[in-house]
């Protein structure tokens, strides 16, 4: 893929916490409207990669271009422009406890748009409806269940209809029905609005049903060991590290199992 | 299937009246948050016209419709139907159908206003339940303290030591500073007043009595409430928010024994020592004033200890033991009763300090009456 076609372009990214090296010389591209999933065992640097991509942590070396702008070097207004174009859902939701769910979703709209109050409320409720929480706008986050908090956090990340959405383990801890619904919403948003998704996940059924492309990170190699269509990887890959990831997870007894998942594709 | 979708220039709106009460609303350009911000008010004004019979929304040139655009369409439909008009939508690309279906679930319905809350039976019940919880907590705390005295091996002495360092050793600098300054200021002000009657010599007597009997325990307890009480409430409150307290309970470990016990024990152990240190720091401040107006140190010390007896010392120690029990207990209680979320931690920290201060003041008043009654 050429640089000009990609919305995210990571080049030579090296991440380290102090003297501990997490990722070394990682490069990849993400195309607009693509659902791009980062997989790997826990501790392999998935969340670290995400934190660097959203500009929370500065890398030791390398560049991360989001929609043509480098978030590593951006400062001030330039950085704000990049941040307005992305939405992030954190693993724990990170909803503000002092605001209702609808106010949480409406906060970015209030800060960055000229929408009248009535419109902000309507848009927030539409966003909540996308994730199936249309009846929970007036509830405080502390009264939501864990899965609902995640869905509300996705709605908040989508508030400004960003070009890129980063989701940190969106379906972990959700029931299978809700998780499948969420997968459908993600696909639908990617296809209808052309939103690019970067998702950190290790829920195999979800990965197989939503991802256009995955990269597999490995803690020993400190980088990407496989990249491509997850369904092909799952079916054909002979790489031991890829097999270990897909087979281990696939062997978890689940209704339908791995075959069931494949059959739905 | 991937689709690259361009956002064209922001939205525009054209109104067409095709017949009496029949309005065609043509939306073009990108219907994103920026476009919708400009269109929202004029579009909804058109949809809310009282004479409206039919509203037709045409999206001829709108290739890009995001969540904000869908919210506008849903609001237009709700407004039109609300005024009894027919609503038709044309030109929305087929691929938006699933998102529009989801968005329609958020259509505004006439929501009943929040009921006005009156202070009634429910509130009284809540107060009674709170009181009950406080009494139960005091009982549990007393049991924990009693158990730790009778079964010293059940106490987590490491935690007690850790807490004692945080409460006592780390607060020494501020304690010494406030003590020294209070002694200095009180003596200085008293000297100014008393020297008109030639009574500067009585300043040490007053200082010793006031500090040992009243100010020492009071100021140390206030310091404890503001410095350590708030920390207790915040620590335990955050643990409540992170479900660590629930984890303790499910492991069968009482949070009161595990968290509150060590804190109360360490407060009981170090706060009396802190009071004595505070008193002596204030005496140093007083001594400095007396030396500066020409009295020898020996006069100062002999006059201080002419008035301060063991009864004053033990009375003040008894007072501070009660104060520290109250402050540590009420702070931990507020921590344990924290609700959900970061703001709840803030609220419980504030109420821990406020309750601590109120309890200290009330208890000090009671002690004043008791000491007077028993001629102590």
């Amino acid at each position: 893929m050429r640089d000009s076609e990609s919305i995210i372009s990571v080049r030579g990214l090296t991440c380290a916490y102090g003297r501990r090296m997490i990722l070394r010389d990682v490069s990849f591209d993400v195309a607009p409207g693509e659902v791009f999933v980062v997989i790997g065992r826990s501790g392999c640097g998935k969340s670290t990669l995400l934190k660097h991509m959203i500009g929370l942590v500065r890398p030791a070396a390398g560049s991360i271009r989001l929609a043509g702008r480098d978030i590593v070097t951006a400062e001030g207004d330039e950085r704000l422009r990049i941040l307005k174009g992305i939405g992030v859902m954190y693993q724990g939701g990170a909803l503000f406890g002092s605001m209702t769910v609808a106010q949480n979703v409406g906060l970015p709209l209030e800060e960055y748009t000229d929408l009248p109050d009535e419109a902000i409320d309507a848009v927030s409720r539409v966003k909540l409806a996308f994730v199936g929480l249309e009846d929970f706008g007036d509830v405080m986050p502390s009264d939501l269940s864990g899965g609902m908090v995640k869905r509300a956090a996705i709605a908040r990340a989508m508030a400004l209809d960003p070009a890129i959405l980063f989701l940190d383990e969106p379906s972990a801890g959700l029931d299978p029905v809700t998780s499948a619904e969420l997968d459908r919403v993600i696909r639908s948003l990617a296809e209808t609005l052309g939103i690019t998704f970067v998702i950190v996940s290790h829920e195999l059924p979800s990965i197989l049903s939503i991802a256009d492309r995955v990269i597999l990170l490995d803690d020993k190699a400190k980088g990407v060991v496989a990249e491509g269509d997850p369904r092909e990887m799952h079916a054909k890959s002979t790489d031991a590290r890829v097999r270990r990831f897909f087979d281990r997870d696939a062997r978890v007894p689940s209704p339908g199992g791995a075959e069931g998942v494949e059959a739905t594709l | 299937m991937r689709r690259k979708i361009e956002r064209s220039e922001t939205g525009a709106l054209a109104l067409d009246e095709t017949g009496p009460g029949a309005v065609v609303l043509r939306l073009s350009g990108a219907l994103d948050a920026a476009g919708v911000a400009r269109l929202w008010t004029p579009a909804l004004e058109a949809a809310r016209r009282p004479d409206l019979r039919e509203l037709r929304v045409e999206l001829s040139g709108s290739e890009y419709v995001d969540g904000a655009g869908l919210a506008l369409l849903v609001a237009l439909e709700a407004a039109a139907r609300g005024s009894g008009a027919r609503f038709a939508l044309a030109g929305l690309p087929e691929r938006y159908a699933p998102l529009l279906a989801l968005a329609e679930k958020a259509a505004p319905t006439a929501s009943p206003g929040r009921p006005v809350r009156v202070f009634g039976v429910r509130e009284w019940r809540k107060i009674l339940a709170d009181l009950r919880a406080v009494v139960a907590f005091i009982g549990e705390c007393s049991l924990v303290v009693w158990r730790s005295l009778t079964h010293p091996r059940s106490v987590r002495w490491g935690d007690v030591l850790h807490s004692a360092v945080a409460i006592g050793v780390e607060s020494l600098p501020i304690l010494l500073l406030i003590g020294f300054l209070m002694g200095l200021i009180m003596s200085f002000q008293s000297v100014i007043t008393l020297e008109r009657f030639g009574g500067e010599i009585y300043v040490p007597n007053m200082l010793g009595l006031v500090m040992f009997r009243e100010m020492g325990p009071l100021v140390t307890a206030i310091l404890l409430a503001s410095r350590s009480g708030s920390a207790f409430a915040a620590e335990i409150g955050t643990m409540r928010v992170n479900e660590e307290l629930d984890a303790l309970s499910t492991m069968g470990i009482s949070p009161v024994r595990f968290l509150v016990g060590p804190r109360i024990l360490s407060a009981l152990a170090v706060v009396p020592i802190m009071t004595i240190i505070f008193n002596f720091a204030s005496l140093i401040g007083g001594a400095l004033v007396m030396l500066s107006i020409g009295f020898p140190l020996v006069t100062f010390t002999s006059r201080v200890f002419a008035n301060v007896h063991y009864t004053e010392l033990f009375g003040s120690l008894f007072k501070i033991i009660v104060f520290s029990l109250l402050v540590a207990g009420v702070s931990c209680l507020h921590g344990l009763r924290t609700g959900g979320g970061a703001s709840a931690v803030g609220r419980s920290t504030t109420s821990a300090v406020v309750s601590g201060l109120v309890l200290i003041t009330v208890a000090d008043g009671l002690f004043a009456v008791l000491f007077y009654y028993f001629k102590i």
Side-chain angles (χ1 to χ4, degrees):
Chain A
M1 193 184 309
R2 290 199 315 275
D3 265 16
S4 57
E5 281 176 11
S6 56
I7 188 164
I8 301 174
S9 142
V10 174
R11 288 284 169 272
L13 181 70
T14 300
C15 316
Y17 289 127
R19 294 178 67 187
R20 200 159 59 92
M21 184 71 76
I22 311 288
L23 296 170
R24 186 181 296 134
D25 198 20
V26 172
S27 299
F28 59 86
D29 287 280
V30 183
E34 190 173 35
V35 178
F36 183 83
V37 180
V38 182
I39 58 176
R41 300 166 60 188
S42 45
C44 70
K46 299 188 299 287
S47 296
T48 304
L49 177 65
L50 197 74
K51 275 185 192 158
H52 282 78
M53 289 176 80
I54 59 181
L56 277 183
V57 187
R58 245 169 223 265
S63 75
I64 301 161
R65 300 183 80 80
L66 304 178
R69 298 185 169 106
D70 193 341
I71 195 163
V72 177
T73 54
E75 300 279 352
D77 284 351
E78 170 84 355
R79 190 178 167 80
L80 192 63
R81 254 197 300 279
I82 301 176
L83 293 179
K84 273 195 231 173
I86 66 174
V88 184
M89 186 218 93
Y90 295 92
Q91 216 175 89
L95 296 179
F96 303 119
S98 54
M99 303 178 185
T100 65
V101 173
Q103 284 168 343
N104 260 286
V105 179
L107 181 68
L109 294 164
E110 231 171 85
E111 289 292 315
Y112 294 124
T113 68
D114 303 323
L115 287 170
D117 288 352
E118 182 196 21
I120 288 178
D121 191 55
V123 175
S124 330
R125 276 163 212 279
V126 163
K127 297 288 150 93
L128 285 171
F130 282 174
V131 292
L133 288 179
E134 61 276 4
D135 298 328
F136 292 88
D138 298 322
V139 171
M140 298 307 280
S142 52
D143 298 330
L144 291 181
S145 76
M148 287 173 169
V149 167
K150 288 211 159 168
R151 287 190 277 157
I154 295 179
R156 187 178 68 181
M158 292 193 305
L160 288 172
D161 289 297
I164 310 170
L165 267 179
F166 293 90
L167 311 182
D168 195 357
E169 310 214 358
S171 46
L174 296 188
D175 66 278
V177 180
T178 314
S179 169
E181 267 171 20
L182 195 61
D183 289 348
R184 266 197 294 283
V185 170
I186 290 174
R187 282 281 5 147
S188 175
L189 287 168
E191 280 161 20
T192 320
L193 302 178
I195 296 178
T196 309
F197 281 88
V198 176
I199 301 173
V200 166
S201 176
H202 36 222
E203 301 282 311
L204 200 52
S206 163
I207 295 167
L208 290 172
S209 74
I210 59 173
D212 289 314
R213 210 150 53 86
V214 300
I215 53 171
L216 175 67
L217 297 182
D218 187 79
D219 54 342
K220 298 244 165 42
K222 306 212 181 298
V224 181
V225 291
E227 180 173 353
D229 186 313
R231 290 153 293 258
E232 267 176 32
M233 269 193 201
H234 181 36
K236 294 181 193 146
S237 177
T238 51
D239 188 310
R241 291 167 295 195
V242 177
R243 286 264 58 95
R244 204 166 47 224
F245 184 83
F246 279 99
D247 292 348
R248 265 221 184 142
D249 280 2
R251 265 189 272 132
V252 172
S254 63
E259 290 80 14
V261 171
E262 277 197 317
T264 60
L265 292 168
Chain B
M1 183 194 63
R2 291 212 303 271
R3 188 193 300 272
K4 190 170 182 190
I5 291 152
E6 293 292 339
R7 299 189 186 193
S8 53
E9 64 272 27
T10 48
L13 157 152
L15 272 176
D16 238 342
E17 203 149 349
T18 50
V23 172
V24 177
L25 193 63
R26 287 198 183 83
L27 301 172
S28 56
L31 291 185
D32 54 8
V36 169
R38 278 191 285 123
L39 302 185
W40 187 276
T41 314
L44 274 175
E45 264 170 19
R48 284 185 183 140
R49 272 168 45 173
D51 61 332
L52 188 75
R53 308 274 291 281
E54 186 184 343
L55 178 70
R56 188 177 157 79
V57 177
E58 288 183 5
L59 295 171
S60 47
S62 294
E63 177 60 12
Y64 186 87
V65 182
D66 68 13
L70 291 173
L72 175 64
L73 297 180
V74 170
L76 283 174
E77 180 174 358
R81 293 202 197 285
S83 49
R86 280 193 302 277
F87 178 84
L89 175 66
L92 185 70
E94 191 52 38
R95 63 173 196 278
Y96 285 107
L99 284 183
L100 183 64
L102 283 175
E104 269 166 355
K105 287 200 276 178
T109 45
S111 60
R114 287 192 180 179
V116 182
R117 299 198 54 189
V118 190
F119 200 82
V121 181
R122 239 175 75 189
E123 277 66 24
W124 280 112
R125 279 219 183 108
K126 196 174 166 302
I127 290 177
L128 281 179
D130 280 355
L131 267 178
R132 209 184 122 92
V134 171
V135 172
F137 178 75
I138 293 171
E140 204 171 350
C141 285
S142 319
L143 265 180
V144 164
V145 173
W146 177 247
R147 249 190 83 84
S148 53
L149 293 179
T150 52
H151 300 80
R153 296 186 61 164
S154 72
V155 179
R156 299 174 56 85
W157 290 111
D159 289 355
V160 174
L161 193 68
H162 183 78
S163 180
V165 170
I167 300 173
V169 179
E170 289 173 10
S171 66
L172 261 186
I174 179 92
L175 192 76
L176 288 174
L177 180 73
I178 293 183
F180 174 77
L181 285 178
M182 275 192 79
L184 190 100
I185 293 164
M186 275 177 82
S187 316
F188 187 67
Q189 296 292 353
S190 313
V191 163
I192 292 174
T193 314
L194 288 180
E195 83 184 334
R196 277 188 276 173
F197 315 105
E200 308 98 302
I201 190 72
Y202 294 108
V203 168
N205 304 44
M206 178 219 68
L207 189 69
L209 202 60
V210 166
M211 282 299 165
F212 274 78
R213 259 195 115 124
E214 203 56 57
M215 297 309 281
L218 195 65
V219 176
T220 322
I222 289 173
L223 257 177
L224 179 74
S226 51
R227 200 182 161 280
S228 307
S230 54
F232 289 171
E235 272 168 24
I236 299 179
T238 312
M239 291 180 78
R240 161 70 75 205
V241 174
N242 292 340
E243 295 181 330
E244 289 171 47
L245 294 186
D246 300 343
L248 276 179
S249 305
T250 47
M251 284 180 222
I253 301 170
S254 151
V256 175
R257 182 179 76 77
F258 191 82
L259 299 170
V260 180
R263 286 172 169 80
I264 290 186
L265 282 179
S266 57
L268 288 179
V270 290
V271 178
I273 303 171
M274 282 164 65
T275 311
I276 293 174
I277 292 175
F278 177 89
N279 290 341
F280 279 103
S282 70
L283 291 187
I284 293 172
L288 206 68
V289 172
M290 296 311 285
L291 286 175
S292 71
I293 56 170
F295 286 91
L297 191 61
V298 65
T299 318
F300 176 81
T301 49
S302 65
R303 300 215 58 109
V304 165
F305 294 107
N307 261 27
V308 178
H309 302 108
Y310 282 114
T311 38
E312 268 72 44
L313 184 67
F314 291 129
S316 106
L317 289 184
F318 180 68
K319 260 163 89 167
I320 192 60
I321 284 172
V322 174
F323 289 168
S324 51
L325 199 65
L326 288 173
V327 169
V330 82
S331 308
C332 293
L333 177 66
H334 279 288
L336 289 173
R337 292 163 61 83
T338 303
S343 56
V345 176
R347 268 200 302 279
S348 63
T349 310
T350 309
S351 29
V353 176
V354 173
S355 317
L357 294 181
V358 169
L359 281 178
I360 293 167
T361 321
V362 171
D364 198 36
L366 286 177
F367 274 124
V369 175
L370 279 179
F371 282 7
Y372 176 77
Y373 189 74
F374 289 110
K375 308 257 186 319
I376 296 172

